Amino acid sequence: MLAAPHDRIPDISRLASLLADPGRALMLLLLQDGRLYPASDLAQAAGLSPQAASNHLAKLLHGQAVRVEQRGRHRYYGLASPAIAHALEALSAAAGESRSAVRPKGNADIRLARSCYDHLAGRLGIAVADFLQQQQLLQRREEREFAVTPAGADWLAARLDIQLAGIARPRRPLARACLDWSERRDHIAGSLGAALCQAFLLRGLTERRSDSRALRITPAGYAFLKQECGVGSEQLRGD
């Protein structure tokens, strides 16, 4: 009989219980863009009363699924860690489309380009991941891990001013595969995924939308993707 060393098995039931309520689950999904929001915004977006949202957020804080920052008289909430974001993305991919699924505003925009916590997702994220692998700039090291090749390090530094030494974090993988819930393929997470998202925003290749975690690809972004990655707008939009 298989022994169950309970002291060594992570207690996933704690997180599962938090996700069991649709209101709490939706608020967590809304926080996947990596930004901080006041309770009032989360309540409105999730269709909850202020009191219900406050109760849910208190449980999420106690369960260490979200964090809170005090700014003046206001409290702002965000996901507690990238690990929570990865779990939510994986669960979204596993859940798939269903008749009861909540469809976010701008669904087509979400599928085209969005932030998954702090990295690029949607067709844009997958196109970047595909290009880097096709050109041997990024290689699969393990099933869910990527390794940046020397040529890849040069390309990232020259094209996007991403220095690998500057983005390495002791407790975070440099580049890992993250299953995209809308496209069912991998985009890039980890420190590199975050650096790519930040570089696209800083260079004006993408812009955040005010009411969604969808990203808008700018004309400069489409030009960069075409010239540097060989990816046309018709490929991104599925034309």
Side-chain angles (χ1 to χ4, degrees):
M1 180 181 294
L2 179 64
H6 295 291
D7 59 330
R8 299 181 183 179
I9 298 177
D11 183 13
I12 61 173
S13 63
R14 176 181 57 83
L15 180 58
S17 67
L18 294 174
L19 292 168
D21 183 274
R24 287 197 296 271
L26 183 52
M27 284 199 293
L28 287 172
L29 292 172
L30 292 167
L31 290 171
Q32 274 188 290
D33 64 2
R35 291 182 285 179
L36 298 172
Y37 292 94
S40 57
D41 285 3
L42 293 171
Q44 182 178 14
L48 298 170
S49 69
Q51 182 178 1
S54 179
N55 290 336
H56 284 319
L57 287 169
K59 291 180 180 180
L60 292 171
L61 275 171
H62 181 73
Q64 299 180 327
V66 301
R67 59 190 174 91
V68 63
E69 289 188 13
Q70 189 79 34
R71 297 183 180 179
R73 294 180 299 172
H74 302 286
R75 290 158 62 89
Y76 290 81
Y77 296 86
L79 292 183
S81 69
I84 297 294
H86 299 330
L88 292 170
E89 187 80 5
L91 286 171
S92 297
E97 295 286 352
S98 69
R99 294 177 63 183
S100 60
V102 175
R103 296 185 178 274
K105 294 180 180 179
N107 192 53
D109 295 330
I110 284 281
R111 290 177 179 273
L112 174 61
R114 66 181 183 278
S115 57
C116 172
Y117 190 64
D118 61 356
H119 51 272
L120 293 176
R123 293 191 184 119
L124 172 61
I126 289 170
V128 173
D130 284 350
F131 164 75
L132 292 174
Q133 291 178 84
Q134 289 165 3
Q135 298 302 313
Q136 296 296 302
L137 306 178
L138 198 68
Q139 294 179 335
R140 290 269 185 177
R141 186 171 58 187
E142 298 176 5
E143 183 180 357
R144 308 305 298 169
E145 299 289 333
F146 291 117
V148 180
T149 66
D154 292 341
W155 188 91
L156 290 166
R159 302 300 194 280
L160 293 169
D161 196 25
I162 294 175
Q163 309 293 333
L164 296 186
I167 66 172
R169 298 291 182 270
R171 297 184 179 181
R172 189 176 191 186
L174 176 63
R176 64 180 297 276
C178 183
L179 183 62
D180 196 283
W181 69 262
S182 64
E183 305 304 312
R184 300 295 191 273
R185 296 180 57 207
D186 290 332
H187 55 248
I188 303 168
S191 298
L192 178 58
L196 285 167
C197 187
Q198 188 68 6
F200 269 63
L201 288 167
L202 289 176
R203 290 172 172 263
L205 307 180
T206 57
E207 295 176 345
R208 291 197 183 278
R209 298 179 183 272
S210 60
D211 60 346
S212 169
R213 63 191 177 102
L215 298 172
R216 186 179 78 87
I217 304 174
T218 66
Y222 280 114
F224 176 89
L225 291 167
K226 184 65 175 180
Q227 295 168 9
E228 300 294 344
C229 306
V231 176
S233 59
E234 68 283 352
Q235 293 171 264
L236 289 170
R237 295 187 178 278
D239 296 345

